[in-house]
Structure formats: C-alpha cells, structure tokens
Amino acid sequence: MLKKLGLSLLILTSSFSVIANEKAVIGATAKMSVAHAELSYVARIDTGAVNTSLHAYDIVVEGGSAKNMKDNVGKMVSFTTENNAGESKRLTAKIVKTSTVSNSQGTETRYMVDLDVGFKGKERKVRVNLRDRSHMDYKLLIGRNWLKGRYVVDVSEKKIIGPTAPISVVESGLIFKTRIDTGAVENSLHALDIKIDNEDPDMEKNVGKIIHFTTENEKGESHVVKSRIVETSLIRNAQGSEIRYMVELNIGEPGQEYKVKVNLRDRSKMSYKLLIGRNWLQGHYIVDVSR
C-alpha cells in the first residue's frame, strides 16, 4: 500500500513539475499594453486581485445610466484612461458585467469590459474593471484572471538568462562571451601575469594586498586590472584541488553590473574566459538553458 502511495505521489509531483514548467515567469511589475488604447503601462502584478483593473475616469454610460448599475450591463460605456506617463485616450466598450470589490476602504461596484491586455503585440482579451486609480502608483493592475493557467509570479523580479551571455567586467572595459554555470559556486575570470605588491609565499598572508593581472576575452582583447585580494578560495574539480585568489569586481550585463567576488585562474585552454557561478546568479537570475 505504501509503495503504491509513494508511486502515486511521485507521478503527481512529476505532473505538477511539467505543468509548472509550461508556465512563464513574470515579476512583481511588468510593462504592459492595452491594445484598444494604444498605450503602455507599468503594471502591478497582483495575485491578491481576482480581476484586472484599469485606471478610468469621466465614465459615461451611453443612452443614460440606470440607477442600479447592474441594469446597465449590455450598454456601451465611454471613459478616459491614462498611463503613468500622462498619456491619455478616450475609449468606448460594452459593459459585460459588474463586480463588487471589497478593500480597506469598504466595498464598491465597478463596471467590467473586455479589453486586449498584455505584452506589446501579444495582448489577449480579458475582463477588466474600470476604476479611478489617479491616486495610485500603478494605473493598470493585473489580476488572477489574466495570470491563471499561463504565468507564475516571482516577486523577487529575477531576470531570465541563458546558458551563455555577453557579460561586462567594468574594471577591464571588456565584454566576455560567458558560460553561465549553476554548478559552480563562484565566478571565475581568466587571469595571466599575476603580480602582488609585497607578495608573501603564503597565499593567505596576501589577503588585503593589491593584485595586478592581465585578463583577456575570447576575441583576444586584453586589459591589465588592478584590484585588492579579499580572500582565497579552495576549488575542487576533476583535476584535483587548488587555492585561488579572489577579488571583487563589477560584473553583469552591460549597464547592469554589480560588485561580486571572482576567483582568478588561467583559463587559456578553456572556451570561456569568464564563468558565472551561483554567487552572481543568486537572487538576481533564473537560468533557462533552452535560450
């Protein structure tokens, strides 16, 4: 019985993994388009909201509004919407439903219309409630009715990176075709002609000293870098183990670099002169090896 239960759980877990992998990852905010308005919004992705909500004011029900909002379902409604940049557009749509929304201010009933919402050029029809969001930071809120079945939300707003990427090392002024390696704890940079001011034979005693080295990318472009040794690192691999110096350098996608520890090693015989490990990826990136 236990064996059968374990097998069932394994199948269920495997099925869930496949389903989850079919969904795209979206961050806590995203640049979205409302096709009807031809406007772009910085949207808040809100898993707490059932429906998507769009900033709308000067709402007018064509032919006159009935006292009971539900009696206006099926009528056309005109409204003005505006994005974060202050660009506005007057729209007309059919009222398809009303929704009652409860929040910290109480409850309110809103008109709902069908609009094409999504990433530019990939919008799709979704029910949207109309509300004056002029006092809110986000003029478009994406709710569960847009996300369901298609997206998982990563509130840490990690970016997606492939198995290789062009990566900049600011201190070298060079761009490296880089291997992204989730199996490596640390980043590793190609380094030659290493010289240390007042070098001691004991590597540990050189921590804190200034180090000079030449680095070179896969195109043969090279630069001499000066930095400070922050620690040593014991690296184990198929060839055995070795101790390497570590320095702090600003590394990242061009224009998005940040400081991180890097070990220095002669990578002359390796295809990639810069290897990115988990200490650069963690908290910032998700790796998609199919890219």
Side-chain angles (χ1 to χ4, degrees), residues 263-277:
N263 70 55
L264 304 178
R265 188 212 176 169
D266 184 345
R267 299 178 63 88
S268 303
K269 296 179 181 178
M270 299 183 180
S271 301
Y272 297 92
K273 308 307 179 191
L274 174 62
L275 179 142
I276 290 294

Side-chain angles (χ1 to χ4, degrees), residues 95-153:
I95 301 169
V96 293
K97 189 181 178 183
T98 61
S99 68
T100 301
V101 179
S102 300
N103 53 37
S104 56
Q105 285 74 49
T107 61
E108 61 177 302
T109 302
R110 304 173 188 170
Y111 291 124
M112 295 194 76
V113 299
D114 287 338
L115 296 175
D116 290 323
V117 177
F119 296 108
K120 183 72 174 174
K122 297 181 180 179
E123 301 90 348
R124 53 189 168 83
K125 197 174 293 296
V126 67
R127 292 258 159 106
V128 178
N129 69 50
L130 306 177
R131 192 223 175 158
D132 186 342
R133 301 178 62 86
S134 53
H135 62 292
M136 298 182 179
D137 293 331
Y138 298 91
K139 309 308 178 191
L140 175 62
L141 180 143
I142 298 294
R144 296 197 301 273
N145 67 333
W146 188 90
L147 296 164
K148 193 173 181 180
R150 296 171 182 261
Y151 287 88
V152 292
V153 181

Side-chain angles (χ1 to χ4, degrees), residues 11-252:
I11 293 169
L12 181 61
T13 305
S14 300
S15 299
F16 175 77
S17 298
V18 170
I19 292 167
N21 287 337
E22 288 175 351
K23 296 174 186 173
V25 178
I26 192 169
T29 62
K31 190 173 181 180
M32 293 278 185
S33 170
V34 176
H36 301 75
E38 298 180 347
L39 293 176
S40 291
Y41 298 76
V42 177
R44 165 62 73 197
I45 311 302
D46 187 354
T47 60
V50 175
N51 296 310
T52 298
S53 182
L54 178 67
H55 177 39
Y57 59 94
D58 293 339
I59 298 172
V60 178
V61 177
E62 295 186 0
S65 176
K67 188 173 181 180
N68 188 332
M69 290 180 70
K70 287 187 178 179
D71 293 335
N72 292 318
V73 172
K75 295 181 180 179
M76 302 300 290
V77 64
S78 298
F79 59 92
T80 300
T81 186
E82 184 176 273
N83 63 14
N84 306 71
E87 301 166 326
S88 63
K89 191 74 176 283
R90 189 78 181 166
L91 297 179
T92 301
K94 182 186 282 189
I95 301 169
V96 293
K97 189 181 178 183
T98 61
S99 68
T100 301
V101 179
S102 300
N103 53 37
S104 56
Q105 285 74 49
T107 61
E108 61 177 302
T109 302
R110 304 173 188 170
Y111 291 124
M112 295 194 76
V113 299
D114 287 338
L115 296 175
D116 290 323
V117 177
F119 296 108
K120 183 72 174 174
K122 297 181 180 179
E123 301 90 348
R124 53 189 168 83
K125 197 174 293 296
V126 67
R127 292 258 159 106
V128 178
N129 69 50
L130 306 177
R131 192 223 175 158
D132 186 342
R133 301 178 62 86
S134 53
H135 62 292
M136 298 182 179
D137 293 331
Y138 298 91
K139 309 308 178 191
L140 175 62
L141 180 143
I142 298 294
R144 296 197 301 273
N145 67 333
W146 188 90
L147 296 164
K148 193 173 181 180
R150 296 171 182 261
Y151 287 88
V152 292
V153 181
D154 180 2
V155 296
S156 64
E157 300 200 33
K158 300 185 187 83
K159 292 177 282 187
I160 297 176
I161 196 167
T164 62
I167 299 293
S168 161
V169 178
V170 173
E171 289 79 0
S172 73
L174 302 175
I175 304 290
F176 293 77
K177 182 180 179 182
T178 304
R179 167 59 73 198
I180 311 300
D181 186 355
T182 59
V185 176
E186 301 166 359
N187 309 299
S188 182
L189 178 65
H190 179 41
L192 298 169
D193 301 326
I194 294 175
K195 295 181 177 62
I196 300 165
D197 293 352
N198 302 312
E199 184 175 6
D200 192 284
D202 184 345
M203 291 182 70
E204 290 295 332
K205 291 182 180 178
N206 291 321
V207 173
K209 294 180 180 179
I210 299 297
I211 187 170
H212 309 258
F213 62 92
T214 299
T215 189
E216 183 178 271
N217 63 16
E218 74 287 346
K219 294 180 180 178
E221 301 166 331
S222 64
H223 189 83
V224 176
V225 178
K226 175 183 174 183
S227 188
R228 187 179 296 276
I229 300 167
V230 293
E231 62 181 272
T232 60
S233 178
L234 176 63
I235 305 295
R236 293 182 175 88
N237 53 35
Q239 287 72 48
S241 63
E242 61 177 304
I243 298 173
R244 301 177 192 169
Y245 290 119
M246 293 195 76
V247 299
E248 286 187 328
L249 298 173
N250 289 285
I251 294 178

